[in-house]
Amino acid sequence: MNDRARIEVHAGDITKLAVDAIVNAANTSLLGGGGVDGAIHRAAGRELEFECRMLNGCKVGEAKITKGYKLPARYIIHTVGPVWQGGGKGEAELLASCYISSLELAAANDCRTVAFPAISTGVYRYPKDEATQIAVDTVGAFIDERTMPETVIFCCFDDQMAELYRQAVAALRKS
Ligand code: AR6
């Protein structure tokens, strides 16, 4: 089994996954919102918001960790993706930084399995092809260098997004 076998693609709702940590595509307030952030806050329960209030927000490209509360996941890693502004505002670096910061936090908290949503590709309008390439390349490079997390799951909300990820992961396996 090579390192790339440590990457999986799953289509479905990230709040249902019984992994060590799921990643939330949050905003800088960390106090909840729509999309996957809203789904995670609803599923985890009000206690999550109480813990988030103590964190004093989070910068774009960085990440913070909380407990998972009512979720099957033990932890939630909250990261803030960039809003797409045409690509000339450092969006690619900031998006890559979300994945790296989240993986660093996962490793520091002994998380063997981590699931990511497609950060910034919803409300924040990052083009899906480019965001997928960044996600897969950044995670691939990270796990090449590190033993933890052991497995990274890209959790896509729909089959079309999952197909994009499958193609990018297959291309990574060949490279
Ligand atoms: N499970 C997995 N993926 C999901 C789920 C789910 N339950 N729900 C949505 N997605 P978005 P962003 C996918 O908009 O673009 C919030 O209001 C969705 O199809 O959730 O980073 C925050 O508070 C898309 O592919 O996050 C911020 O203000 C992906 O998750 C802002 O939105 C990301 O879409 C963040 O925007």
Side-chain angles (χ1 to χ4, degrees):
M1 182 159 100
N2 67 18
D3 272 358
R4 273 63 186 268
R6 291 162 61 196
I7 299 179
E8 295 173 12
V9 178
H10 173 82
D13 180 353
I14 201 166
T15 66
K16 309 285 189 215
L17 298 183
V19 290
D20 292 315
I22 63 168
V23 176
N24 182 16
N27 58 61
T28 54
S29 78
L30 295 185
L31 298 180
V36 70
D37 192 8
I40 288 172
H41 274 263
R42 275 192 302 279
R46 284 304 298 276
E47 276 183 295
L48 172 61
E49 194 187 324
F50 300 146
E51 186 175 357
C52 284
R53 283 192 187 282
M54 318 283 278
L55 298 177
N56 290 317
C58 182
K59 291 186 184 144
V60 178
E62 297 185 3
K64 294 195 177 176
I65 193 163
T66 66
K67 289 185 278 188
Y69 297 98
K70 292 181 179 164
L71 291 178
R74 201 147 50 95
Y75 295 108
I76 304 163
I77 295 171
H78 306 261
T79 189
V80 185
V83 176
W84 178 255
Q85 295 178 79
K89 297 271 163 84
E91 292 96 323
E93 292 76 14
L94 289 166
L95 186 59
S97 173
C98 288
Y99 285 93
I100 294 168
S101 307
S102 299
L103 290 166
E104 300 269 13
L105 260 184
N109 288 276
D110 294 325
C111 296
R112 291 169 187 269
T113 50
V114 179
F116 281 95
I119 300 164
S120 283
T121 64
V123 175
Y124 285 177
R125 303 183 315 271
Y126 208 109
K128 292 184 168 63
D129 284 4
E130 292 173 42
T132 302
Q133 201 62 54
I134 290 168
V136 171
D137 287 351
T138 306
V139 169
F142 188 96
I143 63 174
D144 266 356
E145 301 290 325
R146 307 273 287 262
T147 54
M148 290 281 275
E150 288 172 358
T151 304
V152 174
I153 300 167
F154 289 115
C155 180
C156 305
F157 209 33
D158 57 67
D159 290 333
Q160 203 186 345
M161 198 68 174
E163 192 46 41
L164 271 183
Y165 268 90
R166 285 194 188 101
Q167 285 170 13
V169 171
L172 186 74
R173 287 198 171 115
K174 282 184 202 134
S175 66

